[in-house]
Amino acid sequence: MNNNEQLFARAQKTIPGGVNSPVRAFRSVGGTPRFFVSGAGSRLVDADGKEYIDFVGSWGPAIVGHAHPAVIDAVQRAAAQGLSFGAPTEAEVELAELLCAMLPSLEMVRLVSSGTEATMSAIRLARGFTGRDAIVKFEGCYHGHADSLLVKAGSGLLTFGNPSSGGVPEDFAKHTLVLDYNDIGQLEDTFARAADRIAAVILEPVVGNMNLIQPSPAFIRRLRELCSQHGSLLIYDEVMTGFRVGPQGAQGLHGITPDLTTLGKVIGGGMPVGAFGGRRDVMQHIAPLGPVYQAGTLSGNPVAVAAGLATLKIVGEPGFHDRLGQTAARLVDGLEAAAREAEIAFRAQSVGGMFGIYFRDGLPASYAEVMQSDRERFNRFFHAMLDRGVYLAPSAFEAGFVSAAHSPADIETTVALAREAFAAIRQG
Ligand code: HOZ
């Protein structure tokens, strides 16, 4: 079998950059991407046979840990019944019912195959419902790779310093108004100027694609008020935060009811599932009930749905999110203490099962503040941790994730290794 380096060299001959999603290429941190062979619980094993404590969790889906026996069993049973029918199944009805029961703002929901499809479809629906063209997004928020959303976006675009993608016609981009996260004044000015053009405001209600940023309570309250007042739809992009930051996602944490919600990651438990849903009167505009078209051969795929159902059943158990939140809190407290000992400017925070780490003084609240972190130090820390067997996101602009499989011993080990890593980067 090939090792990491051999696989990377081989991959680059046939796959652009050697990867199927840009951040995986390690270009901003340097070095060779790890090619993983297996995962179990909190651990991953790469093609060199090295084991890591994993804090990427497939970028969020692995909330119950890798290869959880109940999820694997559900997938195997579903697969044995047939991989795809392109026709309705009982399991997808069950998943839709479960999602609507778990998230009170969902009156109806449509299943798709990715978070990108969910946000792209929600935007089209908002435009079709309101008859307006403009959408508002916030700098550094990433909502998948549909054209009108790739404007000043986070995640891979931010990681590579090119926040607006090539290939997006200006005619499309001009309908996307980009504002600063947490800036209430700018939001009010924009509504005062352009309310009758705004179909929807879409946001990551806890941002995880420009590292982790929390909204101020006043910001999201005002956002809800302005959308209601002017008939613009409020879209909570909970692809990352859904069932991750709490049992009812960020909307439950904030006590805000969005008009539409987009979901992905956790709801597929590691298989490709996305969803968008919300107000019944809005969702009734989707084909075949209404004029807004949306479709997919693999939508509601029975194997993917089985993984999602099995995962959500575990996630819905009493105390699940309390335990997950405690794990993440222990991790960030330990990392902050270790950095203090090394006298390194560093902060960390968590919301439920996601966390952010920042090489700067003070927690950032906007794109501009995130950009003030020391990226070079992050890169050295990333490699110092990787060498010691801890897999963090290979970018200073991605949130981290813990799972229910991370034990107190995993966290203690990680913090002890971070102590060594901070000392190493201080000297280096
Ligand atoms: N943009 C994703 C994280 N925010 C990364 C997806 C991937 O590389 O799998």
Side-chain angles (χ1 to χ4, degrees), residues 251-398:
Q251 52 198 268
L253 279 187
H254 302 154
I256 295 281
T257 306
D259 300 298
L260 291 175
T261 298
T262 58
L263 295 165
K265 297 190 189 281
V266 166
I267 68 162
M271 297 287 283
V273 181
F276 63 102
R279 275 167 49 184
R280 186 176 299 276
D281 60 328
V282 179
M283 290 302 288
Q284 281 172 335
H285 276 64
I286 283 284
L289 292 183
V292 179
Y293 199 71
Q294 188 282 322
T297 298
L298 292 172
S299 295
N301 173 269
V303 184
V305 161
L309 276 171
T311 301
L312 286 178
K313 279 181 188 150
I314 301 167
V315 167
E317 285 166 5
F320 179 92
H321 286 96
D322 291 342
R323 290 191 293 277
L324 194 71
Q326 282 157 15
T327 301
R330 260 202 301 274
L331 175 67
V332 298
D333 289 350
L335 292 176
E336 282 200 334
R340 261 196 311 276
E341 280 168 34
E343 294 177 345
I344 284 184
F346 175 90
R347 289 300 311 269
Q349 66 176 333
S350 61
V351 183
M354 64 194 270
F355 65 91
I357 60 174
Y358 322 88
F359 282 86
R360 72 190 294 276
D361 292 316
L363 298 173
S366 67
Y367 172 84
E369 288 180 7
V370 165
M371 294 309 282
Q372 290 158 5
S373 6
D374 186 337
R375 257 171 282 173
E376 198 264 329
R377 248 190 179 170
F378 169 83
N379 290 351
R380 281 162 54 218
F381 180 70
F382 168 82
H383 278 291
M385 292 297 272
L386 193 68
D387 290 347
R388 289 168 174 78
V390 178
Y391 188 66
L392 298 170
S395 160
F397 301 114
E398 299 279 357

Side-chain angles (χ1 to χ4, degrees), residues 21-24 58-59 142 155-156 208-209 240 265 398:
S21 192
V23 182
R24 300 177 194 182
S58 187
W59 305 96
Y142 176 75
S155 192
N209 283 293
M240 199 178 265
K265 297 190 189 281
E398 299 279 357

Side-chain angles (χ1 to χ4, degrees), residues 1-4 35 37 44-52:
M1 196 183 72
N2 290 158
N3 64 23
N4 290 317
F35 283 66
V37 175
L44 289 174
V45 176
D46 74 7
D48 291 356
K50 179 168 169 149
E51 188 179 84
Y52 301 84

